[in-house]
Amino acid sequence: MTTLAVFGAGRIGRVHALNAAALPGVSVRYLVDPIANPGRDDLAARLRAHVAEAEQVFADPSVDGVVIASSTDTHAALMLAASRAGKAIFCEKPVSLDFRTVEEVSAAIAASGVTCMLGFQRRYDPNFSALRDRIASGRAGRLEHVVMHTRDPAPPPIAYVERSGGLFRDQAIHDFDMARYLLGEEIRTVYAVGACLIDPAIGAADDVDTAMVTLTSASGRFVQMVNCRRAPFGYDQRLEALCEREVLYVANRPRSDLVVASAAGFLTSPPENYFIERFADAYRLEMEGFLALLRDGAPPLAGIADGLEAQRLAEAALASTRSGLPVQLGPDWRPDAA
């Protein structure tokens, strides 16, 4: 039996906890969330888990791994505590909103030898996985240009914006990660523009709600990103990969495949409501990947170094929007040097 503890009983914590508990031979023994509420208690009952404190989890030698899906400001401390206790780590992105802290945690975990997996679930999505596999096979020819669209259905509450770290660290970080994953090399130039075209309150919170980013890779290939906090038709998550011999697409996933045709035209279903629904398969496969890591030592598709580099790109995009200039990157670039 593989024994886990889950930190965080909110939206994403619930997804991970239920997916983990559904796997054969897995027990979610502890649920850690300091906010007592019916949702937490209901989740604990479904998992047959004990509501516990962090110290109890890290002191229990029977706990094989931890799933950290609590608020971002808790990630770094929990990851360090888990590494000291010798527990395998799955952590949602980002590690921290402070880049220096991300560097320090990454170095500490690497030195500890504890295995760590970062929550970039798009790497596990069957459609994105098939696209990457086709590129890697060579059938499509060399990848030359990637275009990604990520738009939320509607802006999040301002209280969320104020603690999220901003559009680049919160939403676009998945696109930065996917750019590195598909290209198989590092990004060397980041040029970003951003503005508040939807909600002035987001600007008052020192963030943007609409952005465009151009990335140039080490070998001179391009990625273009379109990020926005609103899409009038629902969650918009698309990707186009221009290769030497083929163009590969990942389209929005409709809520239903039913098409209603009449003299007025063809009526199709809107896309999945939001990322939880759109990436339901990816989240399930992601937990399967964490279990494979625990039981067989199978390397995760996204590790702690991937979290560090995706956040480096997010910080560079933020610096570019503020300066109005492209940011030239190297492995030692930090936002305080911009």
Side-chain angles (χ1 to χ4, degrees):
M1 179 67 71
T2 301
T3 302
L4 300 178
V6 175
F7 290 81
R11 178 175 57 180
I12 194 62
R14 188 177 188 88
V15 169
H16 289 320
L18 293 175
N19 281 338
L23 295 172
V26 173
S27 169
V28 179
R29 180 165 297 171
Y30 299 111
L31 180 63
V32 183
D33 193 313
I35 302 175
N37 61 73
R40 181 198 69 176
D41 297 339
D42 170 72
L43 179 59
R46 290 186 63 179
L47 299 170
R48 299 182 180 178
H50 302 288
V51 176
E53 301 292 330
E55 294 76 14
Q56 185 178 355
V57 170
F58 296 127
D60 187 341
S62 72
V63 174
D64 300 299
V66 297
V67 176
I68 301 172
S70 46
S71 60
T72 298
D73 58 358
T74 67
H75 290 182
L78 291 173
M79 293 176 78
L80 291 174
S83 68
R84 289 191 294 268
K87 313 294 187 189
I89 302 166
F90 173 90
C91 186
E92 271 298 328
K93 60 78 198 168
V95 172
S96 170
L97 299 181
D98 176 70
F99 189 72
R100 288 284 186 178
T101 300
V102 179
E103 289 186 305
E104 291 166 3
V105 171
S106 299
I109 289 176
S112 75
V114 166
T115 51
C116 179
M117 178 174 172
L118 261 287
F120 289 113
Q121 87 282 354
R122 290 185 196 174
R123 293 192 181 209
Y124 288 87
D125 176 74
N127 294 313
F128 283 95
S129 179
L131 181 145
R132 183 178 184 272
D133 289 348
R134 190 166 184 90
I135 293 170
S137 74
R139 284 179 291 174
R142 184 173 185 264
L143 176 62
E144 297 167 349
H145 185 201
V146 180
V147 180
M148 288 183 275
H149 295 78
T150 300
R151 299 184 179 103
D152 294 336
I158 294 303
Y160 175 86
V161 171
E162 291 172 341
R163 67 177 189 274
S164 71
L167 181 76
F168 295 116
R169 298 186 188 106
D170 173 51
Q171 184 206 72
I173 195 168
H174 285 286
D175 299 301
F176 292 126
D177 176 68
M178 188 52 57
R180 294 182 62 251
Y181 190 51
L182 293 179
L183 290 167
E185 63 182 13
E186 298 302 335
I187 302 301
R188 289 292 173 253
T189 304
V190 178
Y191 178 56
V193 292
C196 279
L197 305 180
I198 299 168
D199 187 351
I202 293 178
D206 196 29
D207 194 10
V208 298
D209 56 36
T210 306
M212 300 186 75
V213 185
T214 299
L215 309 176
T216 306
S217 75
S219 66
R221 295 178 287 169
F222 301 118
V223 177
Q224 291 179 307
M225 296 165 41
V226 177
N227 294 86
C228 188
R229 289 296 193 183
R230 183 181 65 198
F233 56 79
Y235 184 55
D236 187 18
Q237 220 306 296
R238 293 171 284 140
L239 185 147
E240 174 187 303
L242 173 64
C243 302
E244 180 184 3
R245 290 186 292 273
E246 298 175 345
V247 181
L248 309 177
Y249 296 90
V250 174
N252 286 324
R253 178 179 293 176
R255 298 180 201 177
S256 169
D257 291 325
L258 176 67
V259 177
V260 179
S262 70
F266 289 77
L267 181 64
T268 62
S269 170
E272 292 282 10
N273 183 55
Y274 208 8
F275 66 91
I276 294 291
E277 295 84 1
R278 165 61 183 85
F279 290 108
D281 290 339
Y283 286 122
R284 177 179 52 79
L285 293 168
E286 194 175 44
M287 275 298 107
E288 290 183 8
F290 187 48
L291 182 61
L293 180 156
L294 287 165
R295 291 182 176 171
D296 307 320
L301 295 186
I304 187 68
D306 297 302
L308 174 63
E309 294 309 319
Q311 187 141 351
R312 194 188 308 275
L313 297 180
E315 300 294 341
L318 184 59
S320 179
T321 61
R322 290 174 173 170
S323 70
L325 300 171
V327 173
Q328 304 296 324
L329 290 179
D332 298 323
W333 183 90
R334 294 180 178 86
D336 53 11

